[in-house]
Amino acid sequence: MSANTLDPNKWVDKYSDYLFNYTIVRVNNREVANDLISETFLAALKSAKNFKGEASERTWLISILKRKIIDYYRKINSRKGKAEVKIKYSDDYNEGEWLEEQVADQFDRSAEDEMENNELGLAILDCLESINEKHAEIFKRKTIDGADTEAICNEFNITPSNLWVIIHRARTALAACLEKNWF
């Protein structure tokens, strides 16, 4: 088995879209997602000497990104109520759960928060009906239903790269629709 190598000059071109899609579903904020990805690239550059080549470059970057996402939630929730949260993860080589104890208590929400969440959910559904039908269906299958990339690609006869382009376009259209109709 040949060892994997790092090529930091190509990280942004090769992995930024994948890392963004991975992150945005977990933090639901474009600015935060972009910051976390930048921090991931920076941390990877700083620790490149520790890369052993046992995993692919992408898998290694994802493992760094996962820690950045957990650190992000620890930071924003350090002053809130404590509750346990399990974060499931899966990549090319590993699968499992992280158990976090310093996160916001999901039951510590006001009636106003609940109403806002319900309104947002309805607004998202309305916006999904207004965007390209194929994009909406693929977005729902991947993001809402959590369907496997390969299954979606087979169902719609598209490549994984095309899938992520469609997901990106759907998110962009949804963001524009929500900004116009909900905010």
Side-chain angles (χ1 to χ4, degrees):
M1 180 175 156
S2 64
N4 293 299
T5 59
L6 295 179
D7 188 359
N9 294 325
K10 295 183 180 177
W11 287 350
V12 172
D13 291 335
K14 287 174 75 174
Y15 305 116
S16 60
D17 287 342
Y18 180 83
L19 295 175
F20 179 80
N21 287 320
Y22 182 90
T23 308
I24 194 70
V25 214
R26 287 157 179 82
V27 298
N28 200 28
N29 181 312
R30 295 179 79 78
E31 189 174 312
V32 170
N34 286 327
D35 288 346
L36 290 171
I37 293 164
S38 296
E39 289 175 23
T40 298
F41 286 144
L42 184 60
L45 281 172
K46 288 180 179 178
S47 63
K49 63 186 175 294
N50 299 326
F51 180 73
K52 296 177 182 162
E54 295 170 356
S56 72
E57 201 173 41
R58 184 178 90 170
T59 300
W60 183 66
L61 288 169
I62 285 289
S63 70
I64 295 170
L65 179 58
K66 287 175 185 175
R67 288 191 295 275
K68 295 292 178 190
I69 292 170
I70 286 177
D71 290 346
Y72 163 75
Y73 279 111
R74 278 187 188 143
K75 183 179 176 185
I76 65 170
N77 292 304
S78 63
R79 287 170 253 128
K80 295 182 181 177
K82 292 182 181 179
E84 281 189 356
V85 125
K86 287 185 181 179
I87 301 172
K88 292 186 180 194
Y89 66 91
S90 175
D91 58 32
D92 296 340
Y93 302 98
N94 301 302
E95 194 172 301
E97 291 181 342
W98 284 311
L99 182 62
E100 290 297 315
E101 296 177 1
Q102 293 279 340
V103 297
D105 186 348
Q106 65 179 342
F107 299 108
D108 187 25
R109 293 195 296 204
S110 68
E112 186 176 315
D113 293 336
E114 286 295 322
M115 187 172 75
E116 190 171 300
N117 282 342
N118 290 337
E119 287 175 3
L120 176 59
L122 293 172
I124 289 171
L125 291 175
D126 286 344
C127 285
L128 277 171
E129 291 178 11
S130 72
I131 68 173
N132 177 295
E133 190 176 330
K134 182 179 179 183
H135 292 185
E137 185 58 33
I138 290 173
F139 178 85
K140 285 189 257 183
R141 295 270 295 121
K142 182 67 180 165
T143 308
I144 297 171
D145 300 339
D148 182 57
T149 298
E150 187 177 343
I152 296 170
C153 289
N154 289 337
E155 182 180 337
F156 289 92
N157 195 27
I158 57 174
T159 65
S161 295
N162 195 346
L163 170 77
W164 292 113
V165 168
I166 291 170
I167 296 284
H168 173 73
R169 288 179 181 164
R171 283 191 178 123
T172 302
L174 281 172
C177 177
L178 287 171
E179 193 168 309
K180 178 181 173 188
N181 299 316
W182 192 67
F183 292 113

